[in-house]
Amino acid sequence: MYPTFTETKLRTFTEDVFKAIGCSNEHSELAADVLLKSDLRGIDSHGVARLSGYVRLWEKQRINAKPDIKVVHETATTATVDGDAGLGLVVAPFAMQIAIEKAEKYGSGWVSVRNSNHFGISGYHALMAVEKDMIGFAMTNASPLVAPTFANERMLGTNPMCYAFPAGKYPPLIVDMATSAAANGKLEIAQRSGKAVPEGWIQDGQGNYTTDPHALKTGGALLPLGSDRDHGSHKGFGLSATVDILSGVLSGANYGPWVPPFVAFMEPSPNPPGQGIGHFLGAMRVDGFRPVDEFKANLDNWIKRFKSAQTVDSTQKVIIPGEPELEAEANRKVNGIPLVQAVVDDLNLLAERFGVERL
Amino acid sequence: MYPTFTETKLRTFTEDVFKAIGCSNEHSELAADVLLKSDLRGIDSHGVARLSGYVRLWEKQRINAKPDIKVVHETATTATVDGDAGLGLVVAPFAMQIAIEKAEKYGSGWVSVRNSNHFGISGYHALMAVEKDMIGFAMTNASPLVAPTFANERMLGTNPMCYAFPAGKYPPLIVDMATSAAANGKLEIAQRSGKAVPEGWIQDGQGNYTTDPHALKTGGALLPLGSDRDHGSHKGFGLSATVDILSGVLSGANYGPWVPPFVAFMEPSPNPPGQGIGHFLGAMRVDGFRPVDEFKANLDNWIKRFKSAQTVDSTQKVIIPGEPELEAEANRKVNGIPLVQAVVDDLNLLAERFGVERL
C-alpha cells in the first residue's frame, strides 16, 4: 500500500513550494493545477513527482520564477510566444489561451512557443480548448532520449502529441501519447522494480535491442513508436520529428539533440540553435466545420460503436482513448492520490527546505 | 525486369481514361497528376495501379465524374467541403486550395471534406502548401481494415496522416504514413509473392497474430502502428482515431466501420451515418510564426544533424522522412516508371474498353 493524499493536501503543498521559489500566486496555482491534474489522471510520472526537478532547474537558474511571457510574432490565427524561461506549466496555458482567443474570432488559433520548460501533461492544455467546444492540440519537444530508426544516438525526446475532442454524453476523447514505443515514465517504473522491459522499447549503447531497463545509463536509447523498421519505427520517428519541428524549429526553441535536459545535473548544449524547449498548441472551433450538436452526436456514436466492437477476449473491451485517465480521475478525486514513498520523502525534503508543511 | 513506361506515356493514358468516364479536361489532368506523382515517388500501390478501381466505382455510380464540389460551411480559417461523390483526387486539391487561400489571408486554413472518395497519396496535397512556404497537413479516413487494440473487428482504415515542411537547401521534409503497422500496399506485395509477413502486421479471424499475408480474406485485420499493447498499439489506434474524427466526424462523412469500401465488389453500409469518405487538410504560413528564411535555415540544420547522426551500422544512415520518395522521383523522372505485368494488363483492358491507346 502506498501512502495516499487528498487532492487538496497535495495542491496546497505544491502551490506553497512554487510560491517559495518566487512564483506569483496566480502562477503557483496554475502550475500546481497542471501537476495535480496529472496525478489525478494516473499519470504519476508527470505530477508532483516532478516538483523537485522543477526546483532544481530553478536553482540552476534555468527556470525563471517571474517570467515576462509575451507574444513576439503573430498573424490573425498564428503566434509565437517567448516563455522567458518560465515554467512550461504556466507558459503553455498562456499560449493555449491565445490560441483559443484567436479561434473564437477566426475559427482556429495556433501558437508555437520557445524559451520554455517542461509543460507537464499535454492533455491539460488540449482540454482547455475542449471546454470551449473546440478541438485541442498540444505537443512539446523534450530532452533527447530517443534514437531515430538506424541511429545509435539520442536525438529526440519522447515528444508527446495530444489531440482532444469534445463529445456529448461521453467524456472528451483524448489521444495523449509519447511518440516513443514506451514513455519514459514506464521505463522508470521498470527501473524501480528491476524488471526486464519488453523487447522493442530500448536499445543498448551498441544499438542492440535489450530488455535491461537501465540501458539508458550506459549509452542506450528509447526507440520510436513502431520499435523497428519492419514494424514502422520510421513512422514513430516521423511523428517525433513533426513534434520537434512544430515545437522547436517553428518557434525558435531548441530542437533535436540540442533540447536542454530536464535533469539539472546535465548541462544544456554549449552553443544551442534556439532558446529553451518548445511547444505547439492549437484550437479549432468545432462549429467552424459543422454545428456542435451534430459533431457531438456523431462522436458519441463513434465512441458507442467502438466500445461495443467485437473483441479477441470477451473480458477485455476496446479502450476509448482517454478512458483510463478519466477513470483514474474519478477514483482519485474520491479516494486520494497514492504516491510512492520515495516521492513522499523527496517532497518532504522540499518542505523542510522551504518551511512548508510536511506531507 | 518489369515493363517500364515514361511519365508522359502513363500521364496521357491516365488522363484519357478519366476523360472517357466523363471527367472534365481539368479534372482528368489533375487526377492523373495525383496518380502519377505517386508512381513517380515509388508508392506503386497508390498510382495508376488504382485506376481500374476508380473506374469500377464510377461504374457502380459511387464516383461522380462531374461533381459540383462546394463549400457548405465556413469561418475565416475553417471550412467544410462537400465533394459531391467526386474523385478524391480532385476534391482534395480543391479543399487544399481553400486552406491555402485562408492561410494567405489569416495565417492558417483548415478544411474538412465529406462525400469524397480515395484521394491518392496524402503527400500530394500537403506539398501544395509547401510550395507556398506553408506547412501542409493532409489526412483521410479509408475502408475499414484495421482492428483497434483488443478488437477482433475491422473498424478503421489505414488512415494516413501527412505533415510536410519546406526546407532551404534540402528538399521538403515530408512525414506521410499509414497509422497501421504496415500499409495495405506492403501487404499486397507479400500476397503477390506469397511470402510471410513479419509478426505484428496482421491478426487472423480469431484475433491471433499471424504471418499469413492472406489472413485478411478470412476475417483477419491489419494492426495499428505499435502492433500490440506492450509496444504501443493503443497509440497507433489513437492516431487512427484522430484521423477518422477529423476527416469523418468533423465533416459529416462516414467514419469507423461505416467508411465505404474502395473495392467496388463490396457494398457500402446500408444506413451510414455520413456521406462518402472524409479528408482533413490544412495549411499554416511559416511566416505566421517566424521569418521563412530563419525557419528554413534551422530546418536545414535539423536535417543536416539528423543525416549525420551516429548509426548502429555504418552502411545504413538515418533516413530523413520523405527522402526515399524523393530519390525515387529523381530516378523515375529519368528512367521511367516500372509496372508489374498484372497492372499493365489491367490498364490495357481499360484501353480496349474506352478506345484509348494501349500501353
Side-chain angles (χ1 to χ4, degrees):
Chain A
M1 278 302 295
Y2 293 117
T4 297
F5 302 89
T6 64
E7 177 190 349
T8 312
K9 173 88 184 162
L10 283 181
R11 183 181 294 275
T12 307
F13 179 92
T14 306
E15 286 175 6
D16 287 348
V17 171
F18 281 126
K19 284 175 195 168
I21 67 169
C23 297
S24 69
N25 287 353
E26 189 195 350
H27 279 183
S28 299
E29 284 163 23
L30 178 54
D33 196 48
V34 180
L35 294 186
L36 262 292
K37 188 79 168 176
S38 180
D39 283 312
L40 285 169
R41 291 170 69 79
I43 310 162
D44 300 339
S45 56
H46 285 54
V48 295
R50 284 246 167 92
L51 185 55
S52 68
Y54 290 107
V55 170
R56 279 191 294 271
L57 286 173
W58 164 78
E59 282 175 322
K60 285 253 182 177
Q61 300 185 312
R62 284 162 52 187
I63 282 180
N64 175 3
K66 296 185 195 306
D68 177 19
I69 309 166
K70 55 175 182 275
V71 173
V72 291
H73 191 111
E74 70 180 318
T75 68
T77 65
T78 64
T80 297
V81 160
D82 186 316
D84 195 23
L87 286 163
L89 306 170
V90 302
V91 174
F94 176 95
M96 185 48 122
Q97 189 54 42
I98 291 169
I100 288 170
E101 285 164 16
K102 287 178 178 293
E104 276 166 352
K105 270 192 180 164
Y106 300 103
S108 70
W110 306 90
V111 181
S112 71
V113 180
R114 71 182 185 217
N115 204 6
S116 187
N117 280 285
H118 197 284
F119 77 7
I121 50 169
S122 309
Y124 184 93
H125 314 298
L127 279 169
M128 287 173 65
V130 168
E131 283 167 19
K132 307 277 185 182
D133 282 341
M134 296 179 184
I135 297 169
F137 300 77
M139 46 185 79
T140 186
N141 64 13
S143 323
L145 291 174
V146 177
T149 307
F150 302 130
N152 191 22
E153 192 179 355
R154 295 183 206 160
M155 301 285 285
L156 291 159
T158 53
N159 295 3
M161 37 174 55
C162 178
Y163 303 89
F165 304 92
K169 64 177 180 177
Y170 292 105
L173 187 150
I174 307 172
V175 177
D176 184 0
M177 50 174 267
T179 52
S180 48
N184 198 35
K186 285 200 181 173
L187 195 65
E188 287 166 359
I189 293 167
Q191 287 165 348
R192 278 197 293 273
S193 68
K195 279 191 193 150
V197 297
E199 197 160 296
W201 284 17
I202 45 176
Q203 64 186 22
D204 65 19
Q206 284 69 50
N208 301 313
Y209 297 124
T210 174
T211 60
D212 173 9
H214 299 286
L216 260 66
K217 290 168 193 157
T218 50
L222 285 165
L223 295 169
L225 177 58
S227 297
D228 63 29
R229 184 64 174 77
D230 263 356
H231 295 85
S233 66
H234 54 298
K235 299 178 183 186
F237 167 38
L239 292 169
S240 184
T242 297
V243 172
D244 198 34
I245 296 166
L246 289 173
S247 304
V249 179
L250 190 59
S251 66
N254 288 298
Y255 43 81
W258 293 289
V259 176
F262 179 72
V263 289
F265 63 83
M266 285 176 70
E267 291 300 320
S269 295
N271 293 303
Q275 294 178 282
I277 80 167
H279 320 309
F280 185 74
L281 301 142
M284 287 194 313
R285 259 166 51 198
V286 165
D287 67 2
F289 299 93
R290 73 187 299 189
V292 171
D293 58 343
E294 280 185 21
F295 175 82
K296 288 186 174 178
N298 278 280
L299 187 53
D300 280 350
N301 188 42
W302 192 103
I303 293 169
K304 186 178 156 209
R305 181 65 184 83
F306 278 75
K307 278 174 93 79
S308 63
Q310 284 178 38
T311 53
V312 177
D313 168 352
S314 62
T315 65
Q316 177 60 67
K317 293 200 151 207
V318 168
I319 297 170
I320 304 301
E323 226 176 18
E325 292 80 8
L326 219 102
E327 281 168 18
E329 193 167 356
N331 177 304
R332 291 183 171 193
K333 281 255 177 203
V334 175
N335 300 316
I337 296 165
L339 297 178
V340 298
Q341 191 59 47
V343 169
V344 178
D345 295 345
D346 190 47
L347 292 172
N348 279 330
L349 286 175
L350 289 179
E352 281 160 33
R353 170 165 175 194
F354 292 115
V356 165
E357 195 186 345
R358 287 171 58 93
L359 285 181
Chain B
M1 280 302 294
Y2 293 117
T4 297
F5 302 89
T6 64
E7 177 190 350
T8 312
K9 173 88 185 165
L10 283 181
R11 183 180 293 276
T12 307
F13 179 92
T14 306
E15 286 175 7
D16 287 349
V17 171
F18 281 127
K19 285 175 196 168
I21 67 169
C23 296
S24 69
N25 287 354
E26 189 195 350
H27 280 182
S28 299
E29 283 164 23
L30 178 54
D33 196 47
V34 180
L35 293 186
L36 262 292
K37 188 80 167 174
S38 179
D39 283 311
L40 284 169
R41 289 170 70 79
I43 310 161
D44 300 338
S45 56
H46 285 54
V48 295
R50 284 245 167 92
L51 185 55
S52 68
Y54 289 106
V55 170
R56 281 190 292 271
L57 286 173
W58 164 78
E59 282 176 321
K60 286 253 184 175
Q61 301 185 313
R62 283 160 53 188
I63 282 179
N64 176 3
K66 296 186 195 307
D68 178 19
I69 310 166
K70 54 175 183 274
V71 173
V72 292
H73 191 109
E74 71 181 316
T75 68
T77 65
T78 64
T80 297
V81 161
D82 186 316
D84 195 22
L87 286 162
L89 306 170
V90 301
V91 174
F94 176 96
M96 185 49 122
Q97 189 54 41
I98 292 169
I100 289 170
E101 285 164 15
K102 287 177 177 295
E104 276 166 353
K105 271 192 178 164
Y106 300 103
S108 70
W110 306 89
V111 180
S112 72
V113 180
R114 71 181 184 218
N115 204 7
S116 186
N117 280 285
H118 196 285
F119 77 7
I121 49 169
S122 308
Y124 183 93
H125 313 299
L127 279 169
M128 287 174 64
V130 168
E131 283 166 22
K132 308 277 185 182
D133 281 340
M134 297 179 184
I135 297 170
F137 300 77
M139 46 185 79
T140 185
N141 64 14
S143 322
L145 291 174
V146 177
T149 307
F150 302 130
N152 191 21
E153 192 179 354
R154 295 182 207 160
M155 301 286 284
L156 291 159
T158 53
N159 295 3
M161 36 175 55
C162 177
Y163 303 90
F165 303 92
K169 64 178 180 175
Y170 291 105
L173 187 150
I174 307 172
V175 177
D176 184 0
M177 49 174 269
T179 52
S180 47
N184 197 36
K186 285 200 182 174
L187 195 65
E188 287 167 358
I189 292 168
Q191 287 166 349
R192 278 198 293 272
S193 68
K195 279 190 193 149
V197 297
E199 197 160 296
W201 284 19
I202 46 176
Q203 63 186 23
D204 65 19
Q206 284 70 51
N208 301 312
Y209 297 124
T210 175
T211 59
D212 173 8
H214 300 286
L216 260 66
K217 290 169 194 156
T218 51
L222 285 164
L223 295 169
L225 176 59
S227 297
D228 62 31
R229 183 65 175 74
D230 264 356
H231 295 86
S233 67
H234 55 299
K235 299 178 183 185
F237 168 38
L239 292 170
S240 184
T242 297
V243 172
D244 199 32
I245 296 166
L246 289 172
S247 304
V249 179
L250 190 59
S251 66
N254 288 299
Y255 45 80
W258 293 289
V259 176
F262 179 72
V263 289
F265 63 83
M266 284 176 69
E267 291 300 322
S269 295
N271 294 303
Q275 294 178 283
I277 79 167
H279 319 309
F280 185 74
L281 301 142
M284 288 194 313
R285 258 166 50 197
V286 166
D287 67 2
F289 299 93
R290 74 187 300 188
V292 170
D293 59 343
E294 280 186 19
F295 175 82
K296 288 186 174 177
N298 278 280
L299 187 53
D300 280 350
N301 187 42
W302 192 103
I303 293 169
K304 186 178 157 209
R305 181 66 184 84
F306 278 76
K307 279 174 92 81
S308 63
Q310 284 177 37
T311 53
V312 177
D313 168 353
S314 62
T315 65
Q316 177 60 67
K317 294 199 150 206
V318 169
I319 297 170
I320 304 301
E323 228 177 14
E325 293 79 8
L326 219 101
E327 281 167 19
E329 193 167 355
N331 177 306
R332 290 182 171 192
K333 280 254 179 205
V334 175
N335 300 316
I337 296 164
L339 297 177
V340 297
Q341 191 59 47
V343 169
V344 177
D345 295 344
D346 190 47
L347 292 172
N348 278 331
L349 286 176
L350 289 179
E352 280 160 33
R353 172 165 174 197
F354 292 115
V356 165
E357 195 186 346
R358 287 170 59 92
L359 285 181

